[in-house]
Amino acid sequence: MQYMMLYRPGHDDGAPPSQQEMTEMGKLIEEMTRDGVLIATGGLLPSSTGARVAVDGGKFTVTDGPFAEVKELIGGYAIVEAAGKPEAIERARRFLQVVGRGTCEVRPMFSPPDVGAASGAHSCTPAGARL
């Protein structure tokens, strides 16, 4: 099963990772890729470079960053393959050991049999599908 891991660093200072952090992260990414468990990964620039788009009752609003709730900001993500939630949690634990701080939310992704199971009113793109 595929799991989405959303990393929240707890800060939004815009400082890039150190060379040592990049080296350690590179080793982890290389290992997970070699093992065939890393589907995708990426980091995000500071919230000051982004925007939030919302809709309520058909009315759209756009708010430019930076955003006040730093502890809720997503700093990066990974999509991993895991046999189950405990294995996905262990992958998140290993990632957090490398970065040294923050939180990582781990959630299973929809897969083809799940699409429509939660609600017949909508559909989702299956995990692993290309948009």
Side-chain angles (χ1 to χ4, degrees):
M1 173 172 252
Q2 290 184 357
Y3 286 82
M4 172 68 79
M5 299 189 326
L6 299 171
Y7 171 59
R8 291 181 174 88
H11 63 89
D12 191 32
D13 58 16
S18 70
Q19 185 60 44
Q20 180 179 351
E21 289 170 327
M22 291 297 292
T23 299
E24 292 300 313
M25 185 58 63
K27 289 177 186 176
L28 179 61
I29 289 170
E30 183 179 316
E31 176 188 325
M32 292 175 69
T33 301
R34 184 181 59 245
D35 292 346
V37 299
L38 183 62
I39 309 301
T41 189
L44 302 175
L45 292 173
S47 71
S48 60
T49 65
R52 286 189 178 152
V53 181
V55 64
D56 185 13
K59 181 178 182 206
F60 287 87
T61 57
V62 177
T63 305
D64 288 326
F67 307 115
E69 288 299 319
V70 173
K71 66 181 181 175
E72 295 298 321
L73 291 176
I74 297 171
Y77 72 94
I79 299 173
V80 299
E81 187 71 37
K85 188 173 165 184
E87 187 177 307
I89 289 170
E90 184 55 32
R91 295 195 199 296
R93 186 184 320 263
R94 292 203 49 227
F95 169 78
L96 289 171
Q97 284 177 321
V98 171
V99 296
R101 64 182 177 195
T103 61
C104 195
E105 181 178 338
V106 178
R107 295 176 52 190
M109 296 179 68
F110 277 106
S111 62
D114 299 327
V115 176
S119 167
H122 64 81
S123 64
C124 295
T125 303
R130 301 257 182 224
L131 297 178

